[in-house]
């Protein structure tokens, strides 16, 4: 598929519970599709300092300071509702 | 499986940390009382209570599930001595703000409060538990369970089933 690893920053309030679940779900789903990604977890407040060099930000809470990096704000990976569509969106952004 | 340090169901979920038929006036009381219980039992230190409340204000934790709504309040590991899950099924739902949209309020009938210390060891279990909560039939069963022992059994059964399918996926 694509050359080189894409980078996704996954943010939530505390970077301990929610983003862990989100990061694992994304990684599994993308691996199934043969897409290799590097996922970094952080707190919402850390996004501005960590967004550099990322291809995409996926967050469960409001974030700012993301510059030109696209942001997907979703809780689908926690509720299970709309997860497939969000994965498709992520795949599109990473192309 | 991974190293022996990985947290298993029994390390996190305890029968005496499952509450059924409990009544709270509102979200604040629920969070304060539940966090207080974790402090009382030695899982957390006293500042955990304010940390949970502050985190909930900044980042609401109710999930807009299709059926019964569940909130998953948690905060960082600073004031946690030992990881634990405190689960409460409420007699009457209380209003929480939705994680997806803080302007939306949800009538929450279950609260799954996480005290998490070992972030690296807890990923599998946490993911499995959240996946179990995504199953509307499971939340319905918990909602209808006669007592907390049965709630424990339901959680245990589904976490075990789910982790099997997730391992062999």
């Amino acid at each position: 598929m694509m050359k080189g690893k894409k980078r996704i920053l996954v943010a939530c309030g505390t970077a301990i519970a929610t983003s862990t679940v989100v990061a694992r779900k994304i990684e599994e789903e993308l691996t199934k599709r043969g897409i290799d990604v590097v996922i970094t977890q952080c707190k919402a407040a850390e996004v501005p300092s960590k967004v550099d060099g990322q291809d995409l930000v996926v967050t469960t809470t409001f974030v700012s300071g993301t510059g030109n990096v696209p942001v997907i704000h979703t809780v689908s990976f926690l509720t299970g509702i709309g997860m497939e569509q969000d994965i498709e969106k992520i795949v599109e952004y990473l192309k | 499986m991974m190293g022996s340090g990985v947290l298993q169901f029994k390390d996190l979920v305890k029968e005496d940390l499952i509450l059924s038929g409990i009544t709270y006036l509102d979200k604040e009381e629920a969070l304060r009382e539940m966090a207080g219980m974790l402090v009382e039992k030695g899982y957390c230190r006293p500042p955990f209570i304010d940390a949970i409340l502050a985190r909930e204000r900044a980042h609401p934790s109710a999930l807009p599930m299709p059926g019964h709504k569940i909130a998953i309040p948690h905060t960082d590991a600073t004031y946690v001595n030992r990881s634990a899950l405190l689960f409460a099924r409420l007699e009457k739902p209380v209003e929480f703000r939705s994680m997806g949209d803080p302007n939306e309020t949800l009538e929450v009938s279950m609260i799954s409060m996480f005290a998490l210390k070992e972030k690296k060891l807890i990923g599998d279990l946490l993911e499995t538990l959240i996946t179990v909560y995504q199953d509307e039939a499971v939340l319905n069963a918990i909602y209808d369970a006669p007592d907390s022992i049965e709630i424990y059994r339901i959680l245990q059964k589904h976490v075990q089933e789910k982790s099997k399918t997730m391992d062999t996926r």
Side-chain angles (χ1 to χ4, degrees):
Chain A
M1 279 203 62
M2 53 188 74
K3 293 260 159 67
K5 288 194 178 184
K6 295 286 183 172
R7 301 174 59 84
I8 303 177
L9 187 63
V10 174
C12 72
T14 49
I16 182 157
T18 339
S19 61
T20 303
V21 175
V22 174
R24 296 172 71 97
K25 296 264 184 212
I26 293 175
E27 193 168 19
E28 284 162 19
E29 292 298 322
L30 292 183
T31 305
K32 273 191 216 163
R33 290 162 172 77
I35 302 170
D36 227 356
V37 282
V38 178
I39 298 184
T40 310
Q41 284 174 243
C42 74
K43 298 183 185 189
E46 297 168 342
V47 166
S49 65
K50 301 213 166 167
V51 73
D52 231 24
Q54 299 289 333
D55 296 295
L56 177 66
V57 176
V58 179
T59 178
T60 58
T61 189
F62 177 77
V63 293
S64 58
T66 48
N68 295 324
V69 180
V71 178
I72 297 179
H73 183 176
T74 181
V75 292
S76 70
F77 298 102
L78 301 163
T79 62
I81 307 165
M83 198 167 103
E84 281 300 314
Q85 293 94 302
D86 279 331
I87 287 291
E88 293 311 318
K89 246 196 253 176
I90 291 171
V91 171
E92 278 304 307
Y93 275 122
L94 295 184
K95 271 181 183 166
Chain B
M1 286 311 283
M2 283 186 271
S4 55
V6 173
L7 258 73
Q8 305 297 322
F9 182 80
K10 283 188 170 162
D11 301 324
L12 190 72
V13 190
K14 318 274 180 193
E15 284 183 25
D16 68 330
L17 293 181
I18 295 182
L19 314 171
S20 63
I22 193 150
T23 304
Y24 297 119
L25 277 177
D26 55 21
K27 171 181 71 184
E28 273 72 25
E29 187 184 79
L31 294 173
R32 200 175 285 286
E33 294 278 323
M34 288 179 72
M37 190 174 295
L38 287 171
V39 170
E40 215 172 278
K41 289 179 182 279
Y43 291 98
C44 303
R45 294 188 290 283
F48 180 79
I49 302 172
D50 283 337
I52 277 275
L53 286 161
R55 149 80 212 216
E56 189 67 33
R57 277 192 290 271
H59 305 285
S61 73
L63 296 175
M65 301 305 200
H68 297 296
K69 310 295 184 260
I70 186 165
I72 53 164
H74 56 275
T75 186
D76 58 42
T78 317
Y79 306 115
V80 179
N81 297 328
R82 276 177 295 152
S83 293
L85 166 68
L86 177 57
F87 190 98
R89 184 187 66 192
L90 309 179
E91 197 66 29
K92 277 191 295 187
V94 294
E95 275 190 2
F96 273 71
R97 286 188 296 140
S98 171
M99 187 188 287
D101 176 5
N103 296 318
E104 185 190 358
T105 54
L106 298 175
E107 295 282 325
V108 163
S109 49
M110 290 169 227
I111 301 175
S112 172
M113 181 179 282
F114 291 104
L116 301 175
K117 190 168 176 65
E118 310 88 344
K119 179 179 165 183
K120 293 239 161 21
L121 306 176
I122 218 159
D124 283 326
L125 182 59
L126 206 56
E127 186 188 357
T128 310
L129 261 172
I130 300 290
T131 309
V132 165
Y133 294 159
Q134 290 176 4
D135 187 340
E136 195 175 352
V138 174
L139 291 193
N140 285 341
I142 290 175
Y143 191 78
D144 293 330
D147 52 32
S148 49
I149 306 282
E150 186 57 24
I151 295 175
Y152 178 86
R153 289 201 190 111
I154 293 167
L155 285 174
Q156 186 177 37
K157 173 172 168 261
H158 290 279
V159 164
Q160 278 164 359
E161 278 173 10
K162 203 71 82 180
S163 43
K164 255 182 243 157
T165 57
M166 289 169 89
D167 282 347
T168 55
R169 159 183 64 197

